[in-house]
Amino acid sequence: MTDKEMRAACAIGWPIKQSKSPIIHGYWIERYGINGEYRLEAVPPEDFPAFITNLPAHGYVGCNVTIPHKLVALANSEPDDRARAVGAANALWIDGDRLRSTNTDVEGFVGSLDASAPGWDENLESAVVCGAGGAGRAVVFGLLERGVACVHLVNRTPSRAQALREAFGPRVHPATWEDLPRVLDGAGLIANATSLGMTGNPDVEWDLAPMRDDAVAADVVYAPLKTSLLVAAERRGFGTSDGLGMLLHQAVRGFELWFGVRPEVTTELRALVERALAKS
Ligand code: NAP
């Protein structure tokens, strides 16, 4: 393929029309003057393995994968360490005759923190993560990769938190919601990686008083943008990182893999996606 040839990538899901990824990648395609396209592909589960193993025949150099395909994508591609650790693949790319995959939520979480709360990991010894589902796995892995010594992992279902300790090792400390005040004591970071606080879901009354004064808070939820955790964190004067920041930063690596340019998350892009979210 020459640089002049059109490249296309897509987001595959079932359903998929709610995806904001075309706005993000479309913005970058235009900004960097790339001869490319990013489309949505609604593919039912029974057709998904054949679709991704024949991506070039469908005209694609790569794709994002979302619900319900992330586990099947992992099993039908060559995953990197992040995808393997998180147990799900959400970005795939053609590399010669190989179909490779990664998990970009890890990079989305830490990239957003780096952008909105620079220095967040300096002297960070103890962090609290709420949620041991897909997003929780990515968040915990990202914190461990950045060298955090102790991650308290709060989850409603104890076996899921325990499974992450078994997968990631003794720096992960499973805990319950009743333990929250104790594990927040002296912690330098709190991350909500549950769906709690999302529009239409139950919420949490966060008491961040026991945390360090220079702590930071991150939420994976982006509807609403300002979750109750972020409101409580701002009241405490903490740095914050929101779910939209994670969503935008997780898109960077896929774009780079497919189109060969590492794109920038600009305030203009953020405003564009914010407007689209407000309409949906
Ligand atoms: P998931 O695998 O289904 O995990 C859901 C998590 O929320 C689990 O820890 C679950 O606890 C917890 N939870 C749900 N309802 C609860 C309740 N009533 N009480 C206590 N805990 C509850 O989902 P996921 O894929 O991790 O997604 C979680 C959130 O992250 C969603 O809001 C999703 O939109 C968001 N997300 C955002 C980004 C981004 O880029 N910003 C990326 C990925 C995901 P149990 O284990 O006990 O069920």
Side-chain angles (χ1 to χ4, degrees):
M1 183 178 288
T2 70
D3 284 347
K4 294 219 166 88
E5 271 180 282
M6 209 275 286
R7 289 171 183 231
C10 63
I12 308 174
W14 185 255
I16 191 61
K17 66 176 187 300
Q18 76 292 346
S19 170
K20 301 292 175 275
S21 294
I23 301 174
I24 302 171
H25 293 288
Y27 169 85
W28 285 328
I29 284 170
E30 202 179 312
R31 181 180 165 94
Y32 297 104
I34 285 165
N35 183 13
E37 275 182 24
Y38 186 94
R39 306 184 200 118
L40 294 180
E41 292 280 0
V43 179
E46 61 273 21
D47 296 339
F48 178 74
F51 193 99
I52 55 163
T53 44
N54 291 301
L55 263 188
H58 290 281
Y60 294 118
V61 296
C63 62
N64 280 127
V65 169
T66 187
I67 292 166
H69 300 315
K70 292 184 192 181
L71 298 185
V72 181
L74 184 79
N76 285 274
S77 60
E78 291 180 42
D80 68 2
D81 288 348
R82 284 181 173 175
R84 220 175 277 121
V86 175
N90 68 353
L92 279 64
W93 73 102
I94 302 292
D95 181 8
D97 54 6
R98 300 161 70 193
L99 176 62
R100 300 178 63 191
S101 65
T102 187
N103 187 299
T104 60
D105 284 340
V106 178
E107 182 168 329
F109 176 73
V110 295
S112 178
L113 271 168
D114 284 339
S116 57
W120 63 273
D121 55 342
E122 280 165 26
N123 309 315
L124 176 58
E125 280 169 14
S126 173
V128 176
V129 177
C130 300
R137 286 184 84 99
V139 166
V140 171
F141 188 73
L143 293 174
L144 296 177
E145 259 194 342
R146 290 293 280 261
V148 179
C150 167
V151 178
H152 296 285
L153 180 57
V154 172
N155 203 53
R156 176 181 59 180
T157 308
S159 57
R160 286 183 101 181
Q162 191 56 41
L164 260 71
R165 181 183 170 93
E166 277 149 30
F168 296 157
R171 283 192 284 158
V172 177
H173 300 270
T176 65
W177 283 95
E178 288 71 39
D179 296 325
L180 189 59
R182 174 181 62 78
V183 296
L184 282 178
D185 194 8
L189 181 143
I190 167 96
N192 176 41
T194 71
S195 44
L196 293 169
M198 196 167 108
T199 308
N201 285 31
D203 208 346
V204 178
E205 271 189 42
W206 300 96
D207 178 2
L208 307 182
M211 296 185 72
R212 268 168 43 174
D213 289 337
D214 61 350
V216 294
D219 209 320
V220 302
V221 169
Y222 53 82
L225 272 182
K226 189 70 74 71
T227 59
S228 59
L229 173 61
L230 299 184
V231 170
E234 282 178 7
R235 272 200 209 112
R236 234 0 216 94
F238 294 172
T240 60
S241 163
D242 65 15
L244 177 53
M246 177 172 170
L247 183 74
L248 297 173
H249 281 274
Q250 69 78 31
V252 168
R253 174 106 172 106
F255 190 89
E256 185 181 23
L257 287 165
W258 308 319
F259 300 115
V261 175
R262 188 164 178 84
E264 194 189 343
V265 175
T266 61
T267 50
E268 185 185 31
L269 171 61
R270 190 184 158 94
L272 201 62
V273 181
E274 263 187 48
R275 281 200 295 279
L277 285 171
K279 279 191 214 149
S280 55

